[in-house]
C-alpha cells in the first residue's frame, strides 16, 4: 500500500450535482409517485455457484451440495472488494466521498479538498478539518470519515444542519467560512452501527437505490461506519434452498412480501403477503448489491444477514441428514423451523447460503444473526454447541468475521455466549437506555457490546427520546475499569423521524469529554435553522426539558397518539406495546410550538424548520387527544348527550386540523408509501399484493390471529395525511355513532368487528396524493390558536 506521501490526494471536489439532488426522500415516508427508476438486470455470474461452493465446502471438509435449479442465471456478480470493506491507510480513492458531497452540497462541494490520512489513536477512524474561506480541507482515513469531517464542519463552523430529515443548507453563504484553527476528532469507539432489523419493514420496504444511497450518505456525514443491509436478503435463501429439495415456486410462497421480510429474517413468520415474484426478487437483490457496493466504496462495512438455521416446512423430510426443531408461535404466526446447527445438513446449507450471498453481494467482515429471537424454542438442541456450529459456519465462509447479535429481552443467553469466541462477537444492546441498574460486563461475561437506543417503535410519529440517559451512561460505561463497551448502535425500529435524536446519538462517538445536555440543544437550535434565533432556542429548550428528557426505568419511546388508537373510551395508547400515558409534561410541546411560530421569518423557508414546525404541531394535537378522550368518556357515562356531541365535535375538529397540518409536509404522507409499493409490481395483481403488504403493516399488521391475539394491530400507527382521513378518523366516527345511538336509545352500544373494518381498509387500492398541500406555517398557527381556545395559555 502506498505511503502517505505518495498517496496524498489533494483533488478538489469539482462539478455539479450528480446522482440525485439533496433533500431527497427520507426513510419515514419513502418512495415517490413515479416509483423506482429502472435498474440493471441481474447479470449472469462470472463463476458458477459450484465453483464458489467448492472453496467453502473444502474449508469445512465436506463434499458437494446440490446446486440451484438448472438454467437459472442467478444473481449479479459482485465485484471484488477489500476483505475489510475499508481503506484504513493512505491510498484509498476519495472519489466516492467527492460524489457524495456533490449530492449533499451541490453549491458548495467544490470548496472542499479531501485528503487521505492515517487512522487516529489506536487505529480509530479520525478526521482533521482546516482551511480558509472558500477552501476547506478535510483529512481522514476513509471516505466515510472524510464525510464525517465535512459534517462536523457544517455543524460547528458553518452553523447549519443536515438532518434525517430536514436541513438548513439554504443558509450557507456563497463562500464557506474559514476554520479558525485546525480541529481533529478521533472516534471514541470502533463500531458505530446503524439500523434495526425492522428498519426495512417500517421505514420503506420499497425504497429505491437512490433513497438508500441518500440515507447512507447521511449516516456517513454523522459518523456511522457499519450499516445493516436487508434489502435483497431473501435472495441467498431462494437460491440455496433450491438445492435442498424445494422448487422456486414453493420458495416464493414461503418468502414474505418486502414489508414483512424483516420478521422472516428474525425467524418469526413466513409467507405473509406473498407469493413474491421472481422479478421483484431480482430487483431487490440488485438494489442490495448496489447498497453494499456503495457502503464499501465509502469505507463503511455492509452488515449482511448471516445464516443460523431458518428453513421451510418439511426440510428434514427432504434432507434425511437434517434435524429440525419446530419454533411454535410468534404473535399468532407459525414460526419457520430451526435447523439444528449440530446436524449434518447445517454446514452444507450454510455453505450454500454464504456462497450465494457472496456471489450476489460480495464479502463483508460483519454478519447479523439472532437465533431464538423473542421466544424461539430450543427443543433438545444444545444451545452452546449450536452457537459454536453457527460461528464455525460463518468462519468457514468468512474467516475472522464478526457476528453481530441483538441484545434484547434475554438474548444473547449465557448458553449461546459460552459456545462462541466472544472476541468475534458484537452485542448490539437494544436496552441500554431503557432499564436501570444495568451491568453489561457482568450480564454478558465481558463480551464486546455497543450501547444502543431504540427510541422509535413501528415508525410512530412521536417526538422524544431518553437523551439525557445517553449522556449520563456513555462516558462512564466506556471509561470504567474492565469496560467491554466497543461501540454505539443506532437502532430505532424506523428511521427518518426525530432528527434531534439522530444528531445527538451519533455525536456520542465523536465528541470528546462529556456533552452538556442543555448546551447541545442550544447549539442544535442555532444550526437547525441556519443561525441563532431566540425563539428557536426557547422552543428547543422546551423540547429538551420535555420529550427529550424522559427517564429510563421502563420505556425508551414516548407515548403515541389516541387519534391513531383503535376506538375505546378507555384507550390509553394506540400500540399495545407502547407507553400508556404521558412521559413528559404536555405543556412543553405546546410552548415549543408557540416559540417556533415566533422564529424569524427569514429562517422559515428551510425544510428543517418546516418539518420541525409540522412535527411539533402534530405532537401538540396528539397530546391533546389525551385531554379530550377522558372528557368524552365522562360525558358519555353521565348520559349527557349534548355535552357528548359537543366534545365529539371538538375531537373531530382536531382530527381535521391534524390531517391538514401533516398534509403540508412531504414526510407525513401516506401517498408516497403506497406509490412505491405499487411501482414495484410487474402487473396489476402484484401491484395490489404489494399495496396490501404496505397497508397491512400500518394497520392490521397480519391476519386476525396476529392482529387480535398477538396485539399487533396499530403497532406501526403513524399520523400521516391519508391514514388520518381514510382510516383513523372514520374509525372513530363509527365508534362515536354507536355511542350516540346508545345514549339516544338507552341500549348498549352495538359491537364493531374492528379487525374486519381495518382489513377492508388494508385491501383497498385508493389513490393518495404524493405531494404536500397547504402552508405548514398557516396550519401550525391554526393548531396553536385552536389549542389556546381550548384553554391553554400562551408560553406559560
Amino acid at each position: 500500500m502506498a505511503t502517505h506521501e505518495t498517496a496524498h490526494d489533494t483533488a478538489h471536489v469539482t462539478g455539479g450535482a450528480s446522482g440525485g439532488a439533496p433533500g431527497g426522500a427520507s426513510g419515514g415516508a419513502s418512495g415517490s409517485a413515479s416509483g423506482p427508476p429502472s435498474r440493471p438486470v441481474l447479470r449472469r455470474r462470472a463463476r458458477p455457484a459450484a465453483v464458489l461452493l467448492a472453496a467453502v465446502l473444502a474449508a469445512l471438509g465436506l463434499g458437494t451440495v446440490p446446486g440451484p435449479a438448472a438454467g437459472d442465471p442467478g444473481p449479479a456478480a459482485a465485484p471484488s472488494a477489500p476483505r475489510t470493506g475499508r481503506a484504513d491507510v493512505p491510498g484509498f480513492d476519495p472519489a466516492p466521498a467527492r460524489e457524495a458531497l456533490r449530492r449533499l452540497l451541490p453549491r458548495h462541494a467544490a470548496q472542499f479538498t479531501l485528503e487521505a490520512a492515517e487512522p487516529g489513536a489506536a487505529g480509530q477512524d479520525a478526521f482533521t478539518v482546516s482551511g480558509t474561506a472558500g477552501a476547506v480541507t478535510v483529512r481522514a482515513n476513509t471516505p466515510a470519515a472524510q464525510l464525517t469531517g465535512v459534517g462536523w464542519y457544517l455543524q460547528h463552523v458553518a452553523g447549519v444542519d443536515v438532518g434525517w430529515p430536514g436541513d438548513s443548507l439554504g443558509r450557507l453563504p456563497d463562500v464557506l467560512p474559514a476554520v479558525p484553527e485546525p480541529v481533529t476528532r478521533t472516534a471514541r469507539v470502533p463500531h458505530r452501527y446503524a439500523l434495526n432489523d425492522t428498519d426495512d419493514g417500517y421505514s420503506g420496504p420499497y425504497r429505491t437505490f437512490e433513497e438508500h444511497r441518500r440515507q447512507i450518505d447521511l449516516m456517513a456525514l454523522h459518523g456511522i461506519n457499519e450499516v445493516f443491509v436487508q434489502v435483497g436478503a431473501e435472495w441467498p435463501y431462494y437460491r440455496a434452498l433450491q438445492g435442498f429439495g424445494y422448487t422456486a415456486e414453493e420458495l416464493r410462497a414461503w418468502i414474505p412480501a418486502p414489508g414483512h421480510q424483516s420478521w422472516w429474517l428474525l425467524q418469526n413468520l413466513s409467507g405473509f403477503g406473498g407469493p413474491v415474484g421472481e422479478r421483484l426478487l431480482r430487483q431487490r437483490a440488485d438494489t442490495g448489491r448496489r447498497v453494499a457496493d456503495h457502503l464499501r466504496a465509502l469505507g463503511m462495512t455492509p452488515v449482511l444477514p448471516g445464516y443460523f438455521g431458518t428453513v421451510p416446512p418439511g426440510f428434514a423430510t427432504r434432507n434425511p441428514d437434517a434435524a429440525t426443531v419446530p419454533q411454535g408461535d410468534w404473535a399468532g404466526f407459525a414460526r419457520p423451523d430451526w435447523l439444528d446447527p449440530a446436524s449434518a445438513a447445517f454446514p452444507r446449507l450454510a455453505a450454500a447460503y454464504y456462497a450465494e450471498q457472496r456471489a450476489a453481494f460480495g464479502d463483508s467482515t460483519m454478519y447479523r444473526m439472532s437465533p431464538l429471537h423473542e421466544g424461539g424454542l430450543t427443543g433438545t438442541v444444545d444451545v452452546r454447541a449450536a452457537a459454536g456450529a453457527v460461528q464455525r459456519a460463518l468462519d468457514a465462509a468468512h474467516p475472522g468475521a464478526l457476528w453481530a447479535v441483538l441484545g434484547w429481552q434475554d438474548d444473547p443467553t449465557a448458553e449461546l455466549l459460552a459456545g462462541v469466541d466472544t472476541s468475534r462477537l458484537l452485542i448490539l444492546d437494544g436496552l441500554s437506555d431503557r432499564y436501570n441498574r444495568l451491568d453489561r460486563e457482568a450480564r454478558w461475561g465481558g463480551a464486546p457490546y455497543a450501547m444502543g437506543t431504540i427510541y422509535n417503535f413501528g415508525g410512530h410519529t412521536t417526538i422524544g427520546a431518553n437523551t439525557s440517559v445517553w449522556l449520563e451512561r456513555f462516558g462512564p460505561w466506556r471509561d470504567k475499569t474492565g469496560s467491554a463497551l466497543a461501540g454505539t448502535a443506532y437502532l430505532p425500529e424506523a428511521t427518518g423521524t426525530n432528527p434531534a435524536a439522530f444528531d445527538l446519538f451519533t455525536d456520542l462517538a465523536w465528541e470528546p469529554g462529556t456533552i452538556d445536555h442543555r448546551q447541545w440543544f442550544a447549539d442544535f437550535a442555532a444550526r437547525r435553522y441556519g443561525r441563532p434565533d431566540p425563539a428557536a432556542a426557547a422552543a428547543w429548550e422546551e423540547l429538551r426539558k420535555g420529550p427529550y428528557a424522559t427517564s429510563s426505568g421502563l420505556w425508551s419511546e414516548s407515548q403515541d397518539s389516541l387519534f391513531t388508537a383503535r376506538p375505546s373510551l378507555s384507550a390509553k395508547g394506540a400500540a399495545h406495546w407502547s407507553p400508556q400515558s404521558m412521559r413528559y409534561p404536555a405543556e412543553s410541546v405546546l410552548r415549543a410550538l408557540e416559540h417556533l411560530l415566533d422564529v424569524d421569518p427569514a429562517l422559515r423557508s428551510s425544510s428543517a424548520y418546516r418539518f420541525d414546525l409540522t412535527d411539533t404541531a402534530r405532537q401538540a394535537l396528539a397530546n391533546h387527544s389525551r385531554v379530550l378522550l377522558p372528557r368524552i368518556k365522562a360525558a358519555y357515562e353521565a348520559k349527557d348527550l349534548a355535552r357528548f356531541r359537543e366534545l365529539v365535535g371538538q375531537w373531530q375538529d382536531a382530527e381535521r386540523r391534524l390531517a391538514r397540518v401533516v398534509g403540508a409536509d412531504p414526510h407525513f404522507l401516506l401517498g408516497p408509501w403506497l406509490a412505491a409499493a405499487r411501482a414495484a409490481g410487474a402487473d396489476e395483481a402484484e401491484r395490489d399484493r404489494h399495496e396490501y403488504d404496505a397497508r397491512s403493516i400500518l394497520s392490521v399488521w397480519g391476519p386476525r390471529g396476529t392482529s387480535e391475539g398477538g396485539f399487533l394491530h396499530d403497532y406501526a400507527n403513524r399520523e400521516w395525511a391519508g391514514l388520518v382521513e381514510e382510516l383513523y378518523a372514520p374509525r372513530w366516527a363509527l365508534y362515536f355513532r354507536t355511542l350516540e345511538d346508545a345514549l339516544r336509545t338507552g341500549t348498549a352500544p352495538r359491537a364493531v368487528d374492528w379487525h374486519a373494518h381495518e382489513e377492508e381498509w388494508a385491501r383497498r387500492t385508493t389513490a393518495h396524493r404524493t405531494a404536500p398541500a397547504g402552508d405548514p406555517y398557516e396550519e401550525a398557527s391554526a393548531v396553536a390558536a385552536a389549542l389556546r381556545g381550548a384553554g391553554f395559555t400562551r408560553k406559560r
Side-chain angles (χ1 to χ4, degrees):
M1 188 67 69
T3 64
H4 172 69
E5 288 75 13
T6 60
H8 196 217
D9 176 32
T10 58
H12 285 269
V13 180
T14 59
S18 65
S26 71
S30 60
S32 66
S34 59
S38 59
R39 302 184 177 103
V41 176
L42 287 171
R43 302 186 300 272
R44 187 178 298 273
R45 288 169 297 169
R47 300 171 63 194
V51 175
L52 293 168
L53 288 174
V56 179
L57 294 171
L60 288 166
L62 300 168
T64 60
V65 60
D72 190 332
S80 59
R83 290 285 306 159
T84 61
R86 296 165 54 87
D88 288 330
V89 295
F92 68 83
D93 182 5
R98 291 200 297 266
E99 292 165 1
L101 278 187
R102 293 187 188 107
R103 291 189 294 270
L104 293 163
L105 305 170
R107 289 198 307 120
H108 298 86
Q111 297 182 45
F112 287 92
T113 297
L114 304 180
E115 298 180 353
E118 298 281 357
Q124 294 278 51
D125 289 339
F127 64 79
T128 299
V129 181
S130 61
T132 58
V136 180
T137 298
V138 180
R139 301 180 67 247
N141 65 302
T142 70
Q146 290 174 333
L147 291 177
T148 307
V150 172
W152 187 94
Y153 168 86
L154 292 173
Q155 289 187 10
H156 297 279
V157 179
V160 296
D161 185 61
V162 184
W164 194 357
D167 67 66
S168 53
L169 293 175
R171 296 294 304 174
L172 284 173
D174 290 339
V175 177
L176 293 176
V179 183
E181 295 181 1
V183 173
T184 297
R185 289 286 183 270
T186 300
R188 302 177 70 189
V189 286
H191 301 287
R192 284 98 58 202
Y193 181 100
L195 300 188
N196 197 299
D197 298 74
T198 67
D199 183 70
D200 208 51
Y202 288 139
S203 297
Y206 297 94
R207 281 173 286 190
T208 65
F209 167 69
E210 288 73 19
E211 289 169 317
H212 282 285
R213 182 179 62 186
R214 163 74 179 178
Q215 291 155 14
I216 291 167
D217 292 348
L218 286 176
M219 287 187 273
L221 205 68
H222 287 80
I224 288 165
N225 68 337
E226 297 162 348
V227 178
F228 181 58
V229 180
Q230 181 192 314
V231 61
E234 66 275 25
W235 183 261
Y237 282 93
Y238 178 63
R239 290 282 293 172
L241 284 164
Q242 289 181 55
F244 286 79
Y246 294 89
T247 67
E249 292 75 17
E250 287 177 312
L251 293 169
R252 290 200 298 271
W254 179 61
I255 296 169
H260 289 77
Q261 279 185 16
S262 298
W263 297 271
W264 169 68
L265 289 171
L266 288 166
Q267 206 178 32
N268 296 149
L269 57 84
S270 63
F272 189 80
V276 293
E278 177 87 15
R279 172 179 171 272
L280 178 67
L281 292 176
R282 291 176 178 276
Q283 285 182 332
R284 285 174 57 79
D286 182 70
T287 299
R289 174 184 60 79
R290 297 173 72 190
V291 167
D293 287 350
H294 184 53
L295 287 164
R296 292 188 192 96
L298 290 176
M300 302 167 79
T301 300
V303 182
L304 302 176
Y307 186 72
F308 58 89
T310 301
V311 291
F315 188 87
T317 301
R318 305 182 196 203
N319 297 274
D321 59 347
T324 58
V325 182
Q327 289 300 288
D329 170 272
W330 180 83
F333 280 105
R335 301 175 66 134
D337 291 343
W338 185 36
L339 174 60
D340 182 354
S343 68
F346 180 85
R348 293 196 300 116
L349 179 51
Y353 171 93
Y354 285 120
E356 294 291 352
Q357 187 182 62
R358 173 186 288 113
F361 307 115
D363 287 328
S364 184
T365 54
M366 184 181 291
Y367 291 80
R368 174 74 190 86
M369 296 178 278
S370 283
L372 306 169
H373 175 75
E374 290 193 350
L377 304 176
T378 60
T380 59
V381 171
D382 181 333
V383 174
R384 177 174 178 171
V390 169
Q391 190 173 54
R392 285 194 300 275
L394 173 62
D395 207 41
H398 303 286
L402 277 176
W403 173 356
V405 60
L406 183 64
W408 180 250
Q409 295 183 350
D410 295 328
D411 294 328
T413 63
E415 292 82 3
L416 184 146
L417 294 174
V420 301
D421 176 359
T422 57
S423 71
R424 292 191 290 112
L425 195 76
L426 179 66
I427 301 170
L428 310 171
D429 185 8
L431 301 172
S432 294
D433 62 344
R434 183 161 182 162
Y435 298 124
N436 295 324
R437 296 180 294 279
L438 298 176
D439 186 331
R440 293 346 225 155
E441 286 74 19
R443 172 70 176 80
W444 292 319
Y449 76 97
M451 182 182 128
T453 181
I454 308 178
Y455 62 75
N456 178 287
F457 287 80
H460 301 156
T461 43
T462 187
I463 292 175
N466 297 349
T467 62
S468 57
V469 179
W470 304 344
L471 303 186
E472 291 164 3
R473 293 183 178 177
F474 178 73
W477 283 14
R478 172 187 175 273
D479 298 336
K480 73 176 183 179
T481 302
S483 173
L485 193 154
T488 56
Y490 180 68
L491 299 172
E493 284 196 341
T495 49
T497 67
N498 249 340
F502 173 62
D503 274 21
L504 177 52
F505 188 80
T506 51
D507 274 359
L508 292 176
W510 289 94
E511 287 302 307
T514 302
I515 297 173
D516 181 271
H517 197 237
R518 182 168 187 162
Q519 186 60 52
W520 188 94
F521 274 90
D523 294 341
F524 177 78
R527 67 174 182 264
R528 183 67 175 157
Y529 312 130
R531 66 169 168 78
D533 178 87
W540 279 99
E541 176 63 7
E542 292 292 348
L543 294 173
R544 180 193 74 85
K545 294 186 299 183
Y548 290 100
T550 49
S551 61
S552 57
L554 186 60
W555 304 105
S556 56
E557 182 191 42
S558 293
Q559 72 292 331
D560 54 15
S561 172
L562 298 188
F563 290 128
T564 61
R566 180 177 282 184
S568 167
L569 289 178
S570 58
K572 302 295 184 185
H576 177 81
W577 309 100
S578 292
Q580 301 296 291
S581 61
M582 290 292 301
R583 294 196 62 217
Y584 56 84
E587 293 81 4
S588 62
V589 176
L590 294 169
R591 289 194 291 267
L593 175 59
E594 295 279 17
H595 287 302
L596 282 176
L597 289 168
D598 286 343
V599 164
D600 187 332
L603 304 181
R604 296 176 189 170
S605 62
S606 72
S607 60
Y609 176 78
R610 294 194 304 270
F611 175 87
D612 294 346
L613 184 65
T614 299
D615 203 21
T616 306
R618 178 211 52 74
Q619 189 65 58
L621 278 169
N623 292 346
H624 188 53
S625 70
R626 294 178 176 272
V627 175
L628 280 176
L629 190 61
R631 294 176 181 173
I632 295 172
K633 180 181 180 182
Y636 178 79
E637 291 176 344
K639 298 183 177 7
D640 187 340
L641 181 58
R643 178 63 172 159
F644 175 82
R645 285 173 171 168
E646 177 190 357
L647 290 167
V648 166
Q650 292 180 22
W651 177 278
Q652 293 175 334
D653 180 65
E655 288 175 319
R656 287 188 288 270
R657 293 186 187 283
L658 175 62
R660 287 197 297 269
V661 74
V662 295
D665 187 272
H667 300 92
F668 297 91
L669 303 180
L670 175 64
W673 178 270
L674 300 182
R678 294 196 68 82
D683 54 37
E684 197 66 12
E686 189 174 43
R687 286 190 280 273
D688 288 350
R689 288 200 302 274
H690 292 172
E691 181 162 359
Y692 175 72
D693 177 43
R695 284 176 177 255
S696 62
I697 201 163
L698 303 181
S699 53
V700 293
W701 210 104
R704 184 179 289 271
T706 295
S707 185
E708 307 304 294
F711 303 106
L712 287 186
H713 67 83
D714 297 302
Y715 182 89
N717 73 88
R718 49 196 73 180
E719 290 170 309
W720 280 357
L723 267 174
V724 174
E725 304 97 308
E726 194 177 67
L727 176 61
Y728 300 140
R731 190 166 61 173
W732 275 104
L734 173 59
Y735 178 64
F736 288 140
R737 284 198 299 273
T738 69
L739 297 185
E740 180 168 337
D741 290 345
L743 286 178
R744 284 191 297 101
T745 61
T747 59
R750 65 183 175 89
V752 178
D753 184 341
W754 291 118
H755 177 78
H757 181 85
E758 295 148 4
E759 179 73 9
E760 185 276 329
W761 179 84
R763 294 286 179 183
R764 293 183 191 179
T765 56
T766 48
H768 290 267
R769 57 187 171 87
T770 56
D775 179 79
Y777 189 87
E778 291 181 5
E779 299 299 344
S781 297
V783 168
L787 292 176
R788 284 197 300 272
F792 297 102
T793 58
R794 182 176 172 83
K795 296 181 187 174
R796 68 178 186 274

